[in-house]
Amino acid sequence: MSDANEPTGAVEPDAGTTGAGTAGGPAAATGAAGAPTGATTANDPAGAPDPAGSAPGRHVRVVLVDDHRMFRTGVQAEIGQTERTGVEVVGEAADVDQAVTVITATRPEVVLLDVHLPGGGGVEVLRRCSPLMADAEQPVRFLALSVSDAAEDVIGVIRGGARGYVTKTITGTDLVDSIFRVQDGDAVFSPRLAGFVLDAFASTDAPPVDEDLDRLTQREREVLRLIARGYAYKEIAKQLFISVKTVESHVSAVLRKLQLSNRHELTRWATARRLV
């Protein structure tokens, strides 16, 4: 299956973490990530207790921004049962322009934002929605939800104004909890990602420019990291919701751009730059 970029508009309300954050800014917050799930799917038995963070009477309106329709569908199924979770998914978008349009029209409390999107990525969405984030009476808050756990991605969206960053390995219950914490103004991160933010804001030095890495697209960087971590092509395809053939094409492009011969050289290259 190839990457899905199909447009979607606002959806009818239906009815939804990762760990605890603390108020006072990104540098003070930590969180808890759940077991790997890929695209989250509903797995709670009917009548199960409400997930953490969805206390009776609580309600939050959410827009889901991700360029993979299958992933959006999975998240909607997992957290979008409003009566149980308190989360109402009021809109979806697959690229930057759609995201800005839907967010402006629906004015949700929280946006679940993928980092890598057609049209400029999550950082561009944040830039164009900065007036909505600054609204004192009805602020729109952003929680990054991405397959990437790269330091530059985390730091980029936090500098852009996102209130937190969790990876797609998160459980549905933890995601609901994180959404409500962000709605309350807390900063929420998957555990190891909080360290990136602390390090970045503690340092006054600008990160060095890596011309070789800059040659790669965002998707090629994702594939590069997964290859370097020992994932098979089929596992990468499942993780990124793309076809095995597309994975092979990305690997070929990475090898060509970096002038490497095989995945073993690629792994050494990535390890030397601490990308793994």
Side-chain angles (χ1 to χ4, degrees):
M1 179 179 65
S2 59
D3 291 354
N5 299 330
E6 71 293 327
T8 59
V11 297
E12 290 297 324
D14 190 359
T17 183
T18 200
T22 59
T30 58
T37 58
T40 52
T41 56
N43 53 20
D44 291 332
D50 288 349
S54 57
R58 296 210 63 182
H59 181 266
V60 59
R61 299 169 68 252
V62 171
V63 164
L64 178 58
V65 180
D66 194 286
D67 62 336
H68 298 104
R69 181 173 59 182
M70 182 179 295
F71 181 76
R72 296 198 309 271
T73 300
V75 173
Q76 165 79 359
E78 179 73 16
I79 71 172
Q81 303 172 44
T82 306
E83 292 184 0
R84 183 174 65 87
T85 65
V87 176
E88 178 187 3
V89 179
V90 297
E92 297 182 8
D95 60 32
V96 170
D97 288 341
Q98 291 173 28
V100 174
T101 298
V102 173
I103 293 166
T104 302
T106 59
R107 295 297 294 266
E109 283 85 26
V110 177
V111 177
L112 290 180
L113 180 68
D114 192 10
V115 174
H116 300 154
L117 294 167
V123 172
E124 178 65 12
V125 175
L126 291 165
R127 185 188 69 79
R128 291 169 59 178
C129 290
S130 57
L132 301 180
M133 290 189 282
D135 189 322
E137 295 185 0
Q138 191 182 352
V140 176
R141 296 188 168 102
F142 288 78
L143 174 61
L145 176 63
S146 176
V147 70
S148 170
D149 60 1
E152 63 266 27
D153 288 336
V154 178
I155 294 166
V157 295
I158 297 304
R159 290 193 185 280
R163 294 294 304 171
Y165 194 117
V166 296
T167 62
K168 291 181 178 179
T169 58
I170 193 169
T171 65
T173 299
D174 283 343
L175 183 56
V176 170
D177 181 67
S178 288
I179 290 169
F180 277 104
R181 290 180 181 277
V182 168
Q183 181 191 30
D184 291 339
D186 290 349
V188 183
F189 299 92
S190 296
R192 71 184 295 266
L193 306 187
F196 295 155
V197 180
L198 289 170
D199 292 344
F201 284 87
S203 173
T204 57
D205 297 329
V209 175
D210 189 325
E211 294 183 358
D212 289 334
L213 189 60
D214 285 346
R215 294 192 185 101
L216 306 182
T217 66
Q218 291 177 327
R219 178 63 84 193
E220 287 168 353
R221 294 185 191 190
E222 290 178 343
V223 172
L224 163 65
R225 291 188 183 93
L226 293 174
I227 284 288
R229 291 172 184 171
Y231 283 73
Y233 285 4
K234 288 184 179 179
E235 294 171 324
I236 297 172
K238 183 178 180 180
Q239 180 107 354
L240 300 181
F241 298 94
I242 58 180
S243 69
V244 173
K245 185 175 181 180
T246 301
V247 173
E248 292 173 349
S249 297
H250 285 314
V251 172
S252 296
V254 170
L255 293 174
R256 183 180 69 255
K257 290 180 180 181
L258 300 181
Q259 298 183 338
L260 301 174
S261 301
N262 53 56
R263 64 181 298 162
H264 300 295
E265 291 184 2
L266 187 152
T267 299
R268 288 195 295 271
W269 187 93
T271 301
R273 284 163 174 77
R274 303 177 67 182
L275 299 176
V276 181

